[in-house]
Amino acid sequence: MSSIARAPRSDNRLPRLLDEAARLFRQKGYHAASIRDVAAAVGMLPGSLYYHFASKEDLLVAVYEEGVRQISDAVVVATAGQSDPWRRLEAGCVAHLEALLRLNDYAQVVIRVLPRDVPKARSRLTLLRDAYERLFTDLIAALPLPAGVDRRYLRLMLLGALNWSQNWYHEGKDTPKTIARRFLKLLQVSLRGEE
Amino acid sequence: MSSIARAPRSDNRLPRLLDEAARLFRQKGYHAASIRDVAAAVGMLPGSLYYHFASKEDLLVAVYEEGVRQISDAVVVATAGQSDPWRRLEAGCVAHLEALLRLNDYAQVVIRVLPRDVPKARSRLTLLRDAYERLFTDLIAALPLPAGVDRRYLRLMLLGALNWSQNWYHEGKDTPKTIARRFLKLLQVSLRGEE
DNA sequence: AAGAAAAACAAACGACTGTTTGTTTTATAC
DNA sequence: GTATAAAACAAACAGTCGTTTGTTTTTCTT
């Protein structure tokens, strides 16, 4: 008895479904990308999608989960190559930004679709974001900093500046790597005092 | 002849219409707030709204325009009271953040509704945003800074960090004033070097 | 080859969307 | 007081939305 479950079929279209959902959520935003858009992109009927996901919100959460996984991996891999705390943070920021601005639909959805815009999934999305940000909490915790520096605000400022770049970045100008380094430089030097 | 036009009536509901639109766009976002929501909040029928605006996008643009006007005024007034460049920038950031996080539906819409989410109005919204940001370009241009500091990136970093705060701020904890000051402090001191 | 589960189809449901049209009310100006 | 323009009503249009239901096809397992 029992073993009613069976392995997924080899022609499973779920991966492509997620890919197209990520692409469309990134391109149009959550509300503007419809179930019908996603289904058409995969080449299936709108209703068929509900075999894989119970609701549109659940589909978004699945994309989010994959996005957090991918961007986390990118940051972990990038920082693993460095030992100096500042260089580790730099590598993490560069990886974060490259995923965010260029190469990753899933990661871009994580930053572009704001939890408050999807009330029914808000708490789940926020949890996923927070889990990711903890990587940066750790990177910043390892920094040798002058006494009195609030590490929480350092994280909020740095990640806020990086994430907001989705709103002004245009391919072709400065690279993500350059941007991340410029931001970090602004924090490292003192802007006050010497003219 | 000619003078076919006449002054608006004194019981004009257009101001309230804009107020409710701002409130709902801020609360639910652009896509989730429907024409019917706005009309119901004002106490008129959905179709009546089209006497005042040709489209939903036009309504958003009107709210945006008022938002930029109000937040610009707040920043101008706040900075006018200061003469030292750094204090002027600080006052501007505090005013920006207070409008953004607490007291102004219109201003919150300007930051919360992203131009890329409303393709048909995108260029107009971006123009309005850019006009506002120029205030900060000026404030930063007046700063005495070490040679080699990129003022454009300073603006992008600072405004990015401030704007993103809409995503993590919760009433009751730190005040907007505190947040703005902490961010500026992080830029003013050197985080590298002295332990 | 036969049975079972996975996956998709086909077709609709009801609700909601932004918007248009023709008409009516209402304040204002002469 | 009467013409006029401002403003809103009333009612619908055509389309889209997320979703459900019942059925069929397809692959895997034995």
Side-chain angles (χ1 to χ4, degrees):
Chain A
M1 62 183 83
S2 68
S3 95
I4 303 172
R6 190 150 73 178
R9 293 188 350 203
S10 59
D11 65 339
N12 195 359
R13 289 202 265 173
L14 187 135
R16 276 202 45 219
L17 204 170
L18 281 169
D19 283 353
E20 296 299 335
R23 209 196 85 238
L24 286 162
F25 285 156
R26 184 219 47 168
Q27 187 183 102
K28 307 176 138 197
Y30 175 75
H31 282 104
S34 72
I35 289 287
R36 281 173 175 80
D37 288 339
V38 177
V42 189
M44 54 168 63
L45 295 182
S48 308
L49 213 139
Y50 286 81
Y51 176 79
H52 299 280
F53 298 98
S55 68
K56 193 186 178 188
E57 289 95 14
D58 282 7
L59 172 58
L60 175 64
V61 170
V63 170
Y64 239 73
E65 281 170 346
E66 182 61 23
V68 165
R69 191 165 3 215
Q70 292 193 14
I71 195 170
S72 293
D73 284 358
V75 169
V76 167
V77 166
T79 55
Q82 304 290 335
S83 56
D84 173 70
W86 275 105
R87 286 206 171 277
R88 281 173 56 79
L89 179 60
E90 178 184 304
C93 290
V94 169
H96 177 79
L97 216 51
E98 280 176 345
L100 213 74
L101 297 178
R102 279 211 305 221
L103 32 94
N104 195 311
D105 284 338
Y106 291 92
Q108 292 189 40
V109 169
V110 175
I111 304 303
R112 137 132 230 212
V113 177
L114 304 178
R116 65 164 8 183
D117 281 338
V118 194
K120 287 186 203 165
R122 175 167 185 173
S123 61
R124 283 182 289 170
L125 302 182
T126 303
L127 279 176
L128 288 167
R129 280 195 183 219
D130 290 351
Y132 170 66
E133 293 204 1
R134 230 161 285 146
L135 286 181
F136 283 85
T137 306
D138 294 346
L139 287 173
I140 287 172
L143 290 179
L145 290 176
V149 171
D150 189 321
R151 286 180 153 84
R152 178 164 171 269
Y153 272 93
L154 176 53
R155 186 189 85 239
L156 290 171
M157 177 161 199
L158 188 53
L159 280 177
L162 292 174
N163 291 345
W164 192 260
S165 69
Q166 268 196 343
N167 291 306
W168 53 262
Y169 175 77
H170 290 87
E171 189 95 27
K173 294 194 174 185
D174 291 333
T175 64
K177 180 179 284 189
T178 303
I179 296 170
R181 287 182 170 164
R182 294 247 166 114
F183 280 172
L184 274 174
K185 195 85 186 172
L186 285 170
L187 289 170
Q188 289 171 343
V189 305
S190 168
L191 298 186
R192 176 154 232 173
E194 62 259 78
E195 176 105 19
Chain B
M1 61 182 80
S2 67
S3 100
I4 302 173
R6 189 148 71 175
R9 293 184 357 195
S10 59
D11 64 341
N12 195 359
R13 289 203 265 173
L14 186 135
R16 277 202 44 218
L17 203 168
L18 281 170
D19 284 353
E20 298 298 334
R23 210 196 85 238
L24 286 162
F25 286 157
R26 184 218 45 163
Q27 187 183 103
K28 307 176 134 198
Y30 175 75
H31 282 104
S34 73
I35 289 288
R36 280 172 176 81
D37 288 339
V38 177
V42 190
M44 54 167 65
L45 295 182
S48 308
L49 215 141
Y50 287 81
Y51 176 77
H52 300 281
F53 298 97
S55 68
K56 192 186 178 188
E57 288 95 14
D58 282 8
L59 172 57
L60 175 64
V61 170
V63 170
Y64 239 75
E65 282 170 345
E66 181 60 24
V68 166
R69 190 162 354 184
Q70 291 192 16
I71 196 170
S72 293
D73 284 358
V75 169
V76 167
V77 167
T79 54
Q82 305 288 337
S83 57
D84 173 70
W86 275 105
R87 286 204 170 278
R88 281 174 57 78
L89 179 59
E90 178 184 305
C93 290
V94 170
H96 177 78
L97 216 51
E98 281 176 344
L100 214 75
L101 297 179
R102 279 213 304 224
L103 32 92
N104 196 309
D105 285 338
Y106 291 92
Q108 293 189 41
V109 170
V110 175
I111 305 303
R112 134 131 232 214
V113 178
L114 304 177
R116 66 163 9 183
D117 281 337
V118 194
K120 286 187 201 161
R122 174 168 186 172
S123 61
R124 284 183 288 170
L125 302 183
T126 302
L127 279 176
L128 289 166
R129 279 195 184 219
D130 290 351
Y132 169 66
E133 292 204 1
R134 231 161 284 145
L135 287 181
F136 283 85
T137 306
D138 294 347
L139 287 172
I140 287 171
L143 290 179
L145 290 177
V149 172
D150 189 320
R151 286 179 152 83
R152 179 166 170 268
Y153 273 94
L154 176 53
R155 186 188 86 240
L156 291 171
M157 177 163 201
L158 188 53
L159 281 177
L162 292 174
N163 291 345
W164 191 259
S165 69
Q166 268 196 344
N167 291 307
W168 51 263
Y169 175 76
H170 290 87
E171 189 95 27
K173 294 192 174 186
D174 292 333
T175 65
K177 180 180 285 188
T178 303
I179 296 170
R181 287 182 171 165
R182 293 248 166 115
F183 281 172
L184 274 174
K185 194 84 185 175
L186 284 170
L187 289 170
Q188 290 171 340
V189 305
S190 168
L191 298 186
R192 177 154 232 174
E194 63 260 74
E195 176 105 16

